[in-house]
Amino acid sequence: MPRARSAVNIGPIIGPMRVEQVELFHIRIPLVAPFETSFGVTAERETILARVVADGVAGWGESIADAAPGYAYETVTTNWHILSDYLIPALFRAPVDDPRQLPARFEHVRGHPMAKATLEAAMWDIAAQQAGLSLRDYLGRLTGRPMKDRVAVGVSIGIQPTTEKLLERIASFLEYGYLRIKIKIKPGRDLQDARAARRAFPDCLLMVDANSAYTLRDADLFKQMDDLNLLMIEQPLGYDDIYEHSQLQPQIKTPICLDESIHSPGHAQLAIALGACKIINIKQGRVGGLTQAIAVHDICEARGVPVWCGGMLETGVGRALNLALAALPNFTLPSDLSASNRYYNPDLIDPPFTINSDGTLSVPTGLGLGVNVVPERLRRVTLRHQIFRP
Ligand code: OSB
Ligand code: MG
């Protein structure tokens, strides 16, 4: 039986964490249905989980990298290499006094934000547990900000075989309680799907995500989308572009939201200063961890740019971390945070995340991440396991 995360006894808010052991698990877990984006189809989620032990307390982190470099250059294999050869040794080098020191600890590795974020997540889980707090309350204490109890959630719907099938999927997710619908688009499956969705569901919060499938030459397509009252258009242009988005945004009324292009607080500043977007999707793994994610949140808030939490088909481990992050006040738009059963049956954690009747997910209140990994389920999906010690 996994140890329940409940009884709370308040310790120091920040104390040194001496890392004794790190375990990596390369997992492959089937999705309840294949997920298609403009960059490919996934039927099984492949990623890495890290379990870190410091001073006898175990914390968990989940990578957002996938088997293939379709969304970003990092993969399970590059993460394994960077973690085992650089980041884990850096964690063993000296105690960590505060999880917010980790971006500096990992600075000698350029890039590889997803690998860095995986270990940082586990350290945040440990730090919050040592303080006797849920991660949400721990972040609230460190930032001095009011944290939400519940996070408004939307669902991301992959490209469907037909427009009719898409409309059926939207109807069932709205029925289930999701507050916002995001549909994936790609050339040939864009305006027609978006128009059909808007016609069938005139009042729903609706948005599209192109995952970088277009260029500035497609500006007319996005101008036509202005008639559909979309909440936003996510990442229409190049995955590493900010400039061309700044050329597109003034040509359309619909807000552009950047996802793939934003890897740091500096990118967020640049994108906002250039007028490349009006909204930012924050994925802690894409920006190198929770510390940087909070920095992006704060920059956006100071400039009046709302944010929401993106997802990468996380298991309950990554979902729990995302929920604590999305409890920050500038997460004002519905996030890509679904119930566990949207992607997994069963999830790796117990109990699973379920959607509340008001279209929210509750932020866990147990110690740290507040979720328990079921060892037997983890064992079943693990392809490779390695233990590292100082
Ligand atoms: O672009 O937001 C994206 C999933 C995999 C890769 C990229 C993206 C997505 C999603 C899924 O949209 C969001 C979720 O986890 O629910
Ligand atoms: Mg996206």
Side-chain angles (χ1 to χ4, degrees):
M1 274 300 286
R3 192 165 54 86
R5 297 186 181 228
S6 47
V8 167
N9 113 35
I10 305 276
I13 291 301
I14 297 176
M17 294 175 277
R18 284 162 292 262
V19 178
E20 293 150 16
Q21 177 179 298
V22 179
E23 283 171 87
L24 296 183
F25 302 80
H26 173 179
I27 63 165
R28 184 195 287 152
I29 176 169
L31 292 171
V32 295
F35 189 80
E36 180 172 351
T37 64
S38 64
F39 59 82
V41 187
T42 317
E44 296 173 304
R45 169 111 184 110
E46 228 176 286
T47 198
I48 293 175
L49 293 188
R51 180 177 180 272
V52 177
V53 180
D55 306 304
V57 178
W60 288 92
E62 176 174 345
S63 174
I64 67 163
D66 196 357
Y71 168 83
Y73 66 84
E74 290 181 271
T75 66
V76 168
T77 305
T78 71
N79 270 202
W80 197 282
H81 159 53
I82 295 295
L83 284 161
S84 56
D85 293 338
Y86 297 97
L87 304 179
I88 293 171
L91 209 51
F92 288 148
R93 206 185 64 226
V96 176
D97 294 324
D98 181 327
R100 292 170 295 186
Q101 294 171 350
L102 288 168
R105 177 74 65 97
F106 296 151
E107 215 171 13
H108 61 303
V109 173
R110 292 202 175 159
H112 301 282
M114 298 178 182
K116 293 171 179 172
T118 306
L119 283 188
E120 197 186 306
M123 296 302 285
W124 277 102
D125 184 13
I126 293 169
Q129 289 179 69
Q130 285 188 343
L133 296 170
S134 66
L135 181 57
R136 184 199 82 118
D137 289 348
Y138 188 66
L139 292 177
R141 292 282 278 275
L142 290 192
T143 62
R145 306 303 309 277
M147 304 295 279
K148 297 190 279 284
D149 293 323
R150 292 172 165 218
V151 172
V153 297
V155 68
S156 175
I157 306 181
I159 295 162
Q160 298 298 307
T162 63
T163 304
E164 291 65 45
K165 189 92 187 119
L166 172 65
L167 300 182
E168 281 170 31
R169 296 285 278 164
I170 296 174
S172 77
F173 283 122
L174 287 173
E175 174 80 12
Y176 202 76
Y178 289 102
L179 295 175
R180 180 226 66 196
I181 298 293
K182 157 167 144 182
I183 65 175
K184 294 289 192 179
I185 57 169
K186 67 176 180 182
R189 290 299 300 280
D190 39 43
L191 248 191
Q192 169 199 326
D193 276 5
R195 278 186 179 141
R198 178 47 88 212
R199 204 173 310 122
F201 306 97
D203 304 319
C204 91
L205 292 180
L206 181 67
M207 60 179 283
V208 296
D209 185 359
N211 287 111
S212 296
Y214 300 87
T215 71
L216 257 189
R217 289 188 296 280
D218 300 305
D220 271 346
L221 173 77
F222 297 108
K223 285 182 197 165
Q224 293 183 71
M225 287 190 183
D226 269 345
D227 297 335
L228 301 178
N229 188 29
L230 300 177
L231 191 58
M232 69 192 89
I233 296 170
E234 186 177 346
Q235 196 70 34
L237 310 181
Y239 69 88
D240 56 355
D241 169 78
I242 291 178
Y243 179 73
E244 291 198 348
H245 283 98
S246 79
Q247 302 293 293
L248 178 60
Q249 180 67 91
Q251 299 184 51
I252 62 178
K253 293 199 299 275
T254 310
I256 290 176
C257 169
L258 290 179
D259 172 356
E260 279 90 333
S261 299
I262 305 296
H263 293 275
S264 66
H267 286 163
Q269 269 171 314
L270 176 62
I272 296 166
L274 289 182
C277 64
K278 295 177 179 167
I279 299 170
I280 288 180
N281 159 339
I282 297 183
K283 292 177 179 167
Q284 55 81 33
R286 196 194 61 226
V287 300
L290 206 50
T291 304
Q292 298 250 98
I294 295 167
V296 172
H297 164 274
D298 293 349
I299 283 165
C300 291
E301 185 177 44
R303 288 158 181 75
V305 171
V307 302
W308 53 281
C309 184
M312 291 292 284
L313 317 178
E314 287 88 349
T315 75
V317 174
R319 206 164 289 282
L321 184 79
N322 283 343
L323 278 165
L325 171 66
L328 282 164
N330 193 39
F331 282 83
T332 53
L333 292 161
S335 289
D336 273 352
L337 278 161
S338 319
S340 291
N341 69 4
R342 159 77 182 96
Y343 293 119
Y344 303 105
N345 184 22
D347 200 337
L348 288 180
I349 55 146
D350 198 52
F353 285 110
T354 54
I355 191 165
N356 300 314
S357 57
D358 61 352
T360 62
L361 289 190
S362 296
V363 184
T365 54
L367 280 182
L369 288 175
V371 294
N372 296 299
V373 175
V374 180
E376 170 52 25
R377 291 185 197 159
L378 175 60
R379 184 141 27 89
R380 241 180 295 151
V381 300
T382 298
L383 302 177
R384 182 182 179 192
H385 173 225
Q386 193 171 339
I387 301 180
F388 302 81
R389 295 214 176 82

